[in-house]
Amino acid sequence: MVPPGYRHRKNQDGQSPHELFTKKHATLVTEGEYWMTHTASQCMVVATLIATIVFAAAFALPGGYNQNTGIPFFRKEPPLIVFVISDAVSLVSSSTSVLIFLSILTSRYAENEFLESLPKKLVKGLAALFLSIVTMMVAFSASFFVLYNNNLGWVPITVTGLAAIPALKSSSFDSRLKHRK
């Protein structure tokens, strides 16, 4: 943090504030690169796994297909429509996050990229990954409504309640972090 009037001034050694900061904190770029690549790699693995699962689920619809016509048995049921849409959103958002994390991994990791470019990419990648997880859980819950809603209504309600726990836990974790600051 330097007042605007001092940004281009030089110290006794002829260094501007930016040059001095860069020299004194050279390890920050190396540490930041390590942390960013490690984080992006791990998130990319998770996003790839989600994309694989929801891709396979798109062709193995709950309830199956009519062998004679190839049309899904529950095609007109609202839970199946919710399943298909949430599965597609999960696939697209997880694929998007894979591409974003790949762009982070192939970045130059120049000092100026840590100011805006890399943090924005990381936030966008994490947001897409979070969306894919949420919509995957919606698809998971919807599949139980397709299969068990008529006979055992308590089963899909219980499964949906259990599927909501990770989202509730993550939001309570975020609120605890905010209180620490």
Side-chain angles (χ1 to χ4, degrees):
M1 300 296 290
V2 178
Y6 290 100
R7 286 189 181 158
H8 301 292
R9 288 192 178 179
K10 305 277 184 180
N11 65 5
Q12 297 171 344
D13 300 326
Q15 296 174 321
S16 70
H18 185 264
E19 292 168 338
L20 181 62
F21 180 84
T22 300
K23 181 180 176 185
K24 293 280 186 184
H25 298 92
T27 59
L28 285 179
V29 174
T30 305
E31 291 170 5
E33 180 179 353
Y34 172 78
W35 181 85
M36 191 67 76
T37 56
H38 186 263
T39 302
S41 296
Q42 297 303 316
C43 290
M44 196 162 104
V45 168
V46 172
T48 303
L49 288 171
I50 291 171
T52 304
I53 290 166
V54 296
F55 181 83
F59 297 103
L61 294 178
Y65 298 90
N66 182 326
Q67 295 299 318
N68 297 327
T69 63
I71 297 173
F73 284 117
F74 298 113
R75 71 183 178 280
K76 294 182 181 179
E77 296 290 324
L80 185 66
I81 295 167
V82 170
F83 172 83
V84 170
I85 291 171
S86 59
D87 193 70
V89 170
S90 185
L91 177 63
V92 169
S93 60
S94 62
S95 299
T96 300
S97 68
V98 167
L99 291 174
I100 293 170
F101 292 127
L102 186 60
S103 75
I104 290 172
L105 292 174
T106 58
S107 177
R108 294 181 308 120
Y109 296 103
E111 180 184 348
N112 62 342
E113 287 187 2
F114 283 98
L115 294 175
E116 282 190 40
S117 175
L118 288 172
K120 283 182 179 178
K121 285 180 183 178
L122 184 62
V123 168
K124 288 177 184 176
L126 289 172
L129 181 58
F130 181 75
L131 178 63
S132 71
I133 292 169
V134 169
T135 53
M136 178 183 66
M137 296 308 288
V138 169
F140 175 75
S141 298
S143 69
F144 279 84
F145 276 96
V146 170
L147 298 174
Y148 299 107
N149 198 28
N150 292 336
N151 303 357
L152 303 167
W154 62 271
V155 172
I157 293 170
T158 303
V159 169
T160 300
L162 292 172
I165 290 173
L168 296 174
K169 286 292 185 185
S170 69
S171 65
S172 68
F173 179 73
D174 290 344
S175 65
R176 284 187 299 217
L177 284 178
K178 290 177 185 175
H179 290 296
R180 284 188 184 173
K181 293 180 183 179

